[in-house]
Structure formats: structure tokens, C-alpha cells
PDB file of all heavy atoms in Angstrom:
ATOM      1  N   PRO A 208     126.907 115.539 100.015  1.00 98.00           N
ATOM      2  CA  PRO A 208     125.474 115.695 100.082  1.00 98.00           C
ATOM      3  C   PRO A 208     124.773 115.292  98.768  1.00 98.00           C
ATOM      4  O   PRO A 208     125.414 115.144  97.716  1.00 98.00           O
ATOM      5  CB  PRO A 208     125.309 117.188 100.253  1.00 98.00           C
ATOM      6  CG  PRO A 208     126.491 117.779  99.512  1.00 98.00           C
ATOM      7  CD  PRO A 208     127.607 116.826  99.743  1.00 98.00           C
ATOM      8  N   ILE A 209     123.448 115.113  98.882  1.00 98.00           N
ATOM      9  CA  ILE A 209     122.598 114.850  97.715  1.00 98.00           C
ATOM     10  C   ILE A 209     122.323 116.173  97.010  1.00 98.00           C
ATOM     11  O   ILE A 209     121.784 117.103  97.616  1.00 98.00           O
ATOM     12  CB  ILE A 209     121.280 114.191  98.150  1.00 98.00           C
ATOM     13  CG1 ILE A 209     121.517 112.820  98.803  1.00 98.00           C
ATOM     14  CG2 ILE A 209     120.300 114.113  96.997  1.00 98.00           C
ATOM     15  CD1 ILE A 209     121.664 111.742  97.831  1.00 98.00           C
ATOM     16  N   ALA A 210     122.719 116.279  95.751  1.00 98.00           N
ATOM     17  CA  ALA A 210     122.473 117.473  94.959  1.00 98.00           C
ATOM     18  C   ALA A 210     121.310 117.379  94.024  1.00 98.00           C
ATOM     19  O   ALA A 210     121.065 118.241  93.196  1.00 98.00           O
ATOM     20  CB  ALA A 210     123.740 117.828  94.202  1.00 98.00           C
ATOM     21  N   ASP A 211     120.533 116.279  94.137  1.00 97.00           N
ATOM     22  CA  ASP A 211     119.373 116.067  93.257  1.00 97.00           C
ATOM     23  C   ASP A 211     118.217 116.972  93.698  1.00 97.00           C
ATOM     24  O   ASP A 211     117.942 117.159  94.903  1.00 97.00           O
ATOM     25  CB  ASP A 211     118.911 114.629  93.323  1.00 97.00           C
ATOM     26  CG  ASP A 211     120.019 113.664  92.928  1.00 97.00           C
ATOM     27  OD1 ASP A 211     120.682 113.914  91.884  1.00 97.00           O
ATOM     28  OD2 ASP A 211     120.252 112.676  93.639  1.00 97.00           O
ATOM     29  N   VAL A 212     117.491 117.499  92.712  1.00 98.00           N
ATOM     30  CA  VAL A 212     116.314 118.383  92.980  1.00 98.00           C
ATOM     31  C   VAL A 212     115.087 117.509  92.812  1.00 98.00           C
ATOM     32  O   VAL A 212     114.745 117.113  91.684  1.00 98.00           O
ATOM     33  CB  VAL A 212     116.285 119.557  92.001  1.00 98.00           C
ATOM     34  CG1 VAL A 212     115.120 120.473  92.316  1.00 98.00           C
ATOM     35  CG2 VAL A 212     117.634 120.353  92.115  1.00 98.00           C
ATOM     36  N   ASN A 213     114.383 117.236  93.899  1.00 96.00           N
ATOM     37  CA  ASN A 213     113.279 116.264  93.869  1.00 96.00           C
ATOM     38  C   ASN A 213     112.007 116.935  93.396  1.00 96.00           C
ATOM     39  O   ASN A 213     111.165 117.370  94.203  1.00 96.00           O
ATOM     40  CB  ASN A 213     113.060 115.626  95.223  1.00 96.00           C
ATOM     41  CG  ASN A 213     112.278 114.333  95.132  1.00 96.00           C
ATOM     42  OD1 ASN A 213     112.818 113.331  94.710  1.00 96.00           O
ATOM     43  ND2 ASN A 213     111.026 114.346  95.504  1.00 96.00           N
ATOM     44  N   VAL A 214     111.798 117.030  92.083  1.00 94.00           N
ATOM     45  CA  VAL A 214     110.600 117.684  91.531  1.00 94.00           C
ATOM     46  C   VAL A 214     109.516 116.675  91.204  1.00 94.00           C
ATOM     47  O   VAL A 214     108.443 117.070  90.770  1.00 94.00           O
ATOM     48  CB  VAL A 214     110.965 118.507  90.291  1.00 94.00           C
ATOM     49  CG1 VAL A 214     111.857 119.687  90.686  1.00 94.00           C
ATOM     50  CG2 VAL A 214     111.679 117.651  89.224  1.00 94.00           C
ATOM     51  N   ASP A 215     109.756 115.376  91.432  1.00 92.00           N
ATOM     52  CA  ASP A 215     108.764 114.359  91.171  1.00 92.00           C
ATOM     53  C   ASP A 215     108.361 113.749  92.522  1.00 92.00           C
ATOM     54  O   ASP A 215     109.128 113.069  93.165  1.00 92.00           O
ATOM     55  CB  ASP A 215     109.345 113.292  90.247  1.00 92.00           C
ATOM     56  CG  ASP A 215     108.321 112.215  89.840  1.00 92.00           C
ATOM     57  OD1 ASP A 215     107.255 112.184  90.467  1.00 92.00           O
ATOM     58  OD2 ASP A 215     108.575 111.450  88.916  1.00 92.00           O
ATOM     59  N   ALA A 216     107.096 113.982  92.907  1.00 92.00           N
ATOM     60  CA  ALA A 216     106.623 113.465  94.178  1.00 92.00           C
ATOM     61  C   ALA A 216     106.595 111.948  94.179  1.00 92.00           C
ATOM     62  O   ALA A 216     106.625 111.331  95.252  1.00 92.00           O
ATOM     63  CB  ALA A 216     105.236 114.000  94.448  1.00 92.00           C
ATOM     64  N   GLY A 217     106.597 111.294  93.003  1.00 89.00           N
ATOM     65  CA  GLY A 217     106.588 109.862  92.911  1.00 89.00           C
ATOM     66  C   GLY A 217     107.983 109.257  92.765  1.00 89.00           C
ATOM     67  O   GLY A 217     108.116 108.091  92.472  1.00 89.00           O
ATOM     68  N   ASN A 218     109.017 110.046  93.017  1.00 90.00           N
ATOM     69  CA  ASN A 218     110.377 109.545  92.895  1.00 90.00           C
ATOM     70  C   ASN A 218     110.606 108.462  93.947  1.00 90.00           C
ATOM     71  O   ASN A 218     110.551 108.733  95.145  1.00 90.00           O
ATOM     72  CB  ASN A 218     111.393 110.702  93.099  1.00 90.00           C
ATOM     73  CG  ASN A 218     112.813 110.314  92.720  1.00 90.00           C
ATOM     74  OD1 ASN A 218     113.258 109.207  92.985  1.00 90.00           O
ATOM     75  ND2 ASN A 218     113.509 111.258  92.118  1.00 90.00           N
ATOM     76  N   PRO A 219     110.887 107.235  93.541  1.00 87.00           N
ATOM     77  CA  PRO A 219     110.974 106.114  94.507  1.00 87.00           C
ATOM     78  C   PRO A 219     112.318 106.000  95.210  1.00 87.00           C
ATOM     79  O   PRO A 219     112.455 105.247  96.179  1.00 87.00           O
ATOM     80  CB  PRO A 219     110.711 104.895  93.669  1.00 87.00           C
ATOM     81  CG  PRO A 219     111.290 105.258  92.314  1.00 87.00           C
ATOM     82  CD  PRO A 219     111.072 106.743  92.152  1.00 87.00           C
ATOM     83  N   VAL A 220     113.365 106.729  94.751  1.00 89.00           N
ATOM     84  CA  VAL A 220     114.703 106.459  95.261  1.00 89.00           C
ATOM     85  C   VAL A 220     115.321 107.689  95.900  1.00 89.00           C
ATOM     86  O   VAL A 220     116.190 107.590  96.778  1.00 89.00           O
ATOM     87  CB  VAL A 220     115.576 105.925  94.108  1.00 89.00           C
ATOM     88  CG1 VAL A 220     115.798 107.000  93.029  1.00 89.00           C
ATOM     89  CG2 VAL A 220     116.957 105.463  94.652  1.00 89.00           C
ATOM     90  N   ILE A 221     114.899 108.911  95.531  1.00 94.00           N
ATOM     91  CA  ILE A 221     115.501 110.103  96.112  1.00 94.00           C
ATOM     92  C   ILE A 221     114.587 110.665  97.220  1.00 94.00           C
ATOM     93  O   ILE A 221     114.881 110.519  98.404  1.00 94.00           O
ATOM     94  CB  ILE A 221     115.756 111.182  95.032  1.00 94.00           C
ATOM     95  CG1 ILE A 221     116.722 110.570  93.966  1.00 94.00           C
ATOM     96  CG2 ILE A 221     116.404 112.423  95.667  1.00 94.00           C
ATOM     97  CD1 ILE A 221     118.030 110.114  94.493  1.00 94.00           C
ATOM     98  N   GLY A 222     113.443 111.260  96.887  1.00 94.00           N
ATOM     99  CA  GLY A 222     112.536 111.697  97.887  1.00 94.00           C
ATOM    100  C   GLY A 222     113.151 112.557  98.953  1.00 94.00           C
ATOM    101  O   GLY A 222     113.780 113.548  98.665  1.00 94.00           O
ATOM    102  N   VAL A 223     113.017 112.156 100.250  1.00 96.00           N
ATOM    103  CA  VAL A 223     113.522 112.929 101.366  1.00 96.00           C
ATOM    104  C   VAL A 223     115.028 112.981 101.403  1.00 96.00           C
ATOM    105  O   VAL A 223     115.583 113.722 102.252  1.00 96.00           O
ATOM    106  CB  VAL A 223     112.959 112.425 102.704  1.00 96.00           C
ATOM    107  CG1 VAL A 223     111.483 112.637 102.801  1.00 96.00           C
ATOM    108  CG2 VAL A 223     113.336 110.964 102.934  1.00 96.00           C
ATOM    109  N   ARG A 224     115.703 112.232 100.563  1.00 97.00           N
ATOM    110  CA  ARG A 224     117.171 112.374 100.504  1.00 97.00           C
ATOM    111  C   ARG A 224     117.614 113.661  99.832  1.00 97.00           C
ATOM    112  O   ARG A 224     118.764 114.055  99.947  1.00 97.00           O
ATOM    113  CB  ARG A 224     117.726 111.173  99.769  1.00 97.00           C
ATOM    114  CG  ARG A 224     117.443 109.820 100.436  1.00 97.00           C
ATOM    115  CD  ARG A 224     117.779 108.653  99.532  1.00 97.00           C
ATOM    116  NE  ARG A 224     119.187 108.637  99.202  1.00 97.00           N
ATOM    117  CZ  ARG A 224     119.721 107.953  98.177  1.00 97.00           C
ATOM    118  NH1 ARG A 224     118.895 107.265  97.333  1.00 97.00           N
ATOM    119  NH2 ARG A 224     121.039 107.937  97.944  1.00 97.00           N
ATOM    120  N   SER A 225     116.669 114.333  99.170  1.00 97.00           N
ATOM    121  CA  SER A 225     116.918 115.610  98.511  1.00 97.00           C
ATOM    122  C   SER A 225     116.556 116.739  99.445  1.00 97.00           C
ATOM    123  O   SER A 225     115.656 116.634 100.263  1.00 97.00           O
ATOM    124  CB  SER A 225     116.078 115.715  97.230  1.00 97.00           C
ATOM    125  OG  SER A 225     115.972 117.037  96.756  1.00 97.00           O
ATOM    126  N   PHE A 226     117.220 117.885  99.281  1.00 98.00           N
ATOM    127  CA  PHE A 226     116.876 119.071 100.054  1.00 98.00           C
ATOM    128  C   PHE A 226     115.545 119.674  99.659  1.00 98.00           C
ATOM    129  O   PHE A 226     114.957 120.416 100.437  1.00 98.00           O
ATOM    130  CB  PHE A 226     117.953 120.147  99.878  1.00 98.00           C
ATOM    131  CG  PHE A 226     119.282 119.793 100.531  1.00 98.00           C
ATOM    132  CD1 PHE A 226     120.387 119.572  99.737  1.00 98.00           C
ATOM    133  CD2 PHE A 226     119.416 119.742 101.875  1.00 98.00           C
ATOM    134  CE1 PHE A 226     121.622 119.234 100.301  1.00 98.00           C
ATOM    135  CE2 PHE A 226     120.644 119.433 102.472  1.00 98.00           C
ATOM    136  CZ  PHE A 226     121.742 119.149 101.680  1.00 98.00           C
ATOM    137  N   GLY A 227     115.043 119.322  98.479  1.00 98.00           N
ATOM    138  CA  GLY A 227     113.748 119.850  98.092  1.00 98.00           C
ATOM    139  C   GLY A 227     113.544 119.990  96.606  1.00 98.00           C
ATOM    140  O   GLY A 227     114.320 119.426  95.811  1.00 98.00           O
ATOM    141  N   ALA A 228     112.531 120.768  96.241  1.00 97.00           N
ATOM    142  CA  ALA A 228     112.163 120.915  94.825  1.00 97.00           C
ATOM    143  C   ALA A 228     112.573 122.264  94.210  1.00 97.00           C
ATOM    144  O   ALA A 228     112.385 122.446  93.014  1.00 97.00           O
ATOM    145  CB  ALA A 228     110.632 120.782  94.694  1.00 97.00           C
ATOM    146  N   ASP A 229     113.178 123.097  94.971  1.00 98.00           N
ATOM    147  CA  ASP A 229     113.623 124.410  94.474  1.00 98.00           C
ATOM    148  C   ASP A 229     115.105 124.373  94.177  1.00 98.00           C
ATOM    149  O   ASP A 229     115.902 124.168  95.097  1.00 98.00           O
ATOM    150  CB  ASP A 229     113.326 125.509  95.495  1.00 98.00           C
ATOM    151  CG  ASP A 229     113.875 126.864  95.049  1.00 98.00           C
ATOM    152  OD1 ASP A 229     113.820 127.182  93.823  1.00 98.00           O
ATOM    153  OD2 ASP A 229     114.385 127.591  95.890  1.00 98.00           O
ATOM    154  N   PRO A 230     115.536 124.528  92.925  1.00 98.00           N
ATOM    155  CA  PRO A 230     116.982 124.414  92.597  1.00 98.00           C
ATOM    156  C   PRO A 230     117.870 125.381  93.399  1.00 98.00           C
ATOM    157  O   PRO A 230     118.965 125.023  93.808  1.00 98.00           O
ATOM    158  CB  PRO A 230     117.010 124.740  91.111  1.00 98.00           C
ATOM    159  CG  PRO A 230     115.661 124.397  90.599  1.00 98.00           C
ATOM    160  CD  PRO A 230     114.722 124.717  91.715  1.00 98.00           C
ATOM    161  N   ALA A 231     117.355 126.586  93.669  1.00 98.00           N
ATOM    162  CA  ALA A 231     118.167 127.548  94.413  1.00 98.00           C
ATOM    163  C   ALA A 231     118.397 127.094  95.857  1.00 98.00           C
ATOM    164  O   ALA A 231     119.495 127.200  96.388  1.00 98.00           O
ATOM    165  CB  ALA A 231     117.494 128.906  94.377  1.00 98.00           C
ATOM    166  N   LEU A 232     117.308 126.591  96.500  1.00 98.00           N
ATOM    167  CA  LEU A 232     117.454 126.097  97.855  1.00 98.00           C
ATOM    168  C   LEU A 232     118.410 124.894  97.913  1.00 98.00           C
ATOM    169  O   LEU A 232     119.301 124.813  98.754  1.00 98.00           O
ATOM    170  CB  LEU A 232     116.094 125.702  98.414  1.00 98.00           C
ATOM    171  CG  LEU A 232     116.115 125.028  99.796  1.00 98.00           C
ATOM    172  CD1 LEU A 232     116.519 126.003 100.875  1.00 98.00           C
ATOM    173  CD2 LEU A 232     114.726 124.445 100.131  1.00 98.00           C
ATOM    174  N   VAL A 233     118.210 123.964  96.960  1.00 98.00           N
ATOM    175  CA  VAL A 233     119.073 122.776  96.938  1.00 98.00           C
ATOM    176  C   VAL A 233     120.531 123.181  96.719  1.00 98.00           C
ATOM    177  O   VAL A 233     121.442 122.647  97.348  1.00 98.00           O
ATOM    178  CB  VAL A 233     118.587 121.792  95.877  1.00 98.00           C
ATOM    179  CG1 VAL A 233     119.565 120.609  95.753  1.00 98.00           C
ATOM    180  CG2 VAL A 233     117.202 121.291  96.207  1.00 98.00           C
ATOM    181  N   ALA A 234     120.745 124.147  95.849  1.00 98.00           N
ATOM    182  CA  ALA A 234     122.114 124.620  95.573  1.00 98.00           C
ATOM    183  C   ALA A 234     122.747 125.231  96.819  1.00 98.00           C
ATOM    184  O   ALA A 234     123.908 124.941  97.129  1.00 98.00           O
ATOM    185  CB  ALA A 234     122.101 125.612  94.420  1.00 98.00           C
ATOM    186  N   ARG A 235     121.989 126.073  97.544  1.00 98.00           N
ATOM    187  CA  ARG A 235     122.539 126.699  98.724  1.00 98.00           C
ATOM    188  C   ARG A 235     122.940 125.687  99.777  1.00 98.00           C
ATOM    189  O   ARG A 235     123.991 125.769 100.414  1.00 98.00           O
ATOM    190  CB  ARG A 235     121.528 127.699  99.338  1.00 98.00           C
ATOM    191  CG  ARG A 235     121.389 129.012  98.579  1.00 98.00           C
ATOM    192  CD  ARG A 235     120.669 130.021  99.397  1.00 98.00           C
ATOM    193  NE  ARG A 235     119.335 129.646  99.806  1.00 98.00           N
ATOM    194  CZ  ARG A 235     118.222 129.780  99.058  1.00 98.00           C
ATOM    195  NH1 ARG A 235     118.323 130.330  97.846  1.00 98.00           N
ATOM    196  NH2 ARG A 235     117.051 129.413  99.519  1.00 98.00           N
ATOM    197  N   LEU A 236     122.008 124.727 100.023  1.00 98.00           N
ATOM    198  CA  LEU A 236     122.272 123.744 101.093  1.00 98.00           C
ATOM    199  C   LEU A 236     123.324 122.746 100.682  1.00 98.00           C
ATOM    200  O   LEU A 236     124.116 122.280 101.534  1.00 98.00           O
ATOM    201  CB  LEU A 236     120.967 123.068 101.499  1.00 98.00           C
ATOM    202  CG  LEU A 236     119.893 124.007 102.048  1.00 98.00           C
ATOM    203  CD1 LEU A 236     118.671 123.207 102.524  1.00 98.00           C
ATOM    204  CD2 LEU A 236     120.420 124.875 103.161  1.00 98.00           C
ATOM    205  N   THR A 237     123.386 122.407  99.401  1.00 98.00           N
ATOM    206  CA  THR A 237     124.460 121.550  98.910  1.00 98.00           C
ATOM    207  C   THR A 237     125.790 122.203  99.153  1.00 98.00           C
ATOM    208  O   THR A 237     126.764 121.568  99.692  1.00 98.00           O
ATOM    209  CB  THR A 237     124.258 121.244  97.429  1.00 98.00           C
ATOM    210  OG1 THR A 237     123.050 120.486  97.238  1.00 98.00           O
ATOM    211  CG2 THR A 237     125.432 120.422  96.873  1.00 98.00           C
ATOM    212  N   ALA A 238     125.936 123.447  98.777  1.00 98.00           N
ATOM    213  CA  ALA A 238     127.221 124.165  98.950  1.00 98.00           C
ATOM    214  C   ALA A 238     127.559 124.250 100.420  1.00 98.00           C
ATOM    215  O   ALA A 238     128.754 124.126 100.827  1.00 98.00           O
ATOM    216  CB  ALA A 238     127.137 125.518  98.305  1.00 98.00           C
ATOM    217  N   ALA A 239     126.547 124.517 101.294  1.00 98.00           N
ATOM    218  CA  ALA A 239     126.812 124.614 102.725  1.00 98.00           C
ATOM    219  C   ALA A 239     127.353 123.317 103.274  1.00 98.00           C
ATOM    220  O   ALA A 239     128.253 123.311 104.104  1.00 98.00           O
ATOM    221  CB  ALA A 239     125.502 125.009 103.437  1.00 98.00           C
ATOM    222  N   GLN A 240     126.796 122.197 102.797  1.00 98.00           N
ATOM    223  CA  GLN A 240     127.293 120.939 103.319  1.00 98.00           C
ATOM    224  C   GLN A 240     128.662 120.574 102.743  1.00 98.00           C
ATOM    225  O   GLN A 240     129.475 119.993 103.460  1.00 98.00           O
ATOM    226  CB  GLN A 240     126.262 119.827 103.036  1.00 98.00           C
ATOM    227  CG  GLN A 240     125.011 119.992 103.838  1.00 98.00           C
ATOM    228  CD  GLN A 240     124.486 118.702 104.402  1.00 98.00           C
ATOM    229  OE1 GLN A 240     124.239 117.730 103.658  1.00 98.00           O
ATOM    230  NE2 GLN A 240     124.274 118.656 105.704  1.00 98.00           N
TER     231      GLN A 240
END
């Protein structure tokens, strides 16, 4: 999975490939995958 935390709305390469902007949420879903 993508473990990047997308905190920049202007990110041209990650964006929706990330679980989101909250590190805790991204960590939980990364581990689940």
C-alpha cells in the first residue's frame, strides 16, 4: 500500500493514492492492507 500522508492538496503525484491527511488513519489502513 501507499504509506504517504497527503497533507498537500497540490501534490501532483500522490493525491488520491494516499489514504488521507491524518497520520493515524493512514497508519491504520496501511497496516490493515
Side-chain angles (χ1 to χ4, degrees):
I209 296 278
D211 303 313
V212 181
N213 199 74
V214 293
D215 185 346
N218 192 320
V220 65
I221 302 300
V223 293
R224 298 168 63 197
S225 163
F226 291 111
D229 175 39
L232 175 67
V233 176
R235 284 195 301 274
L236 299 185
T237 296
Q240 291 222 305

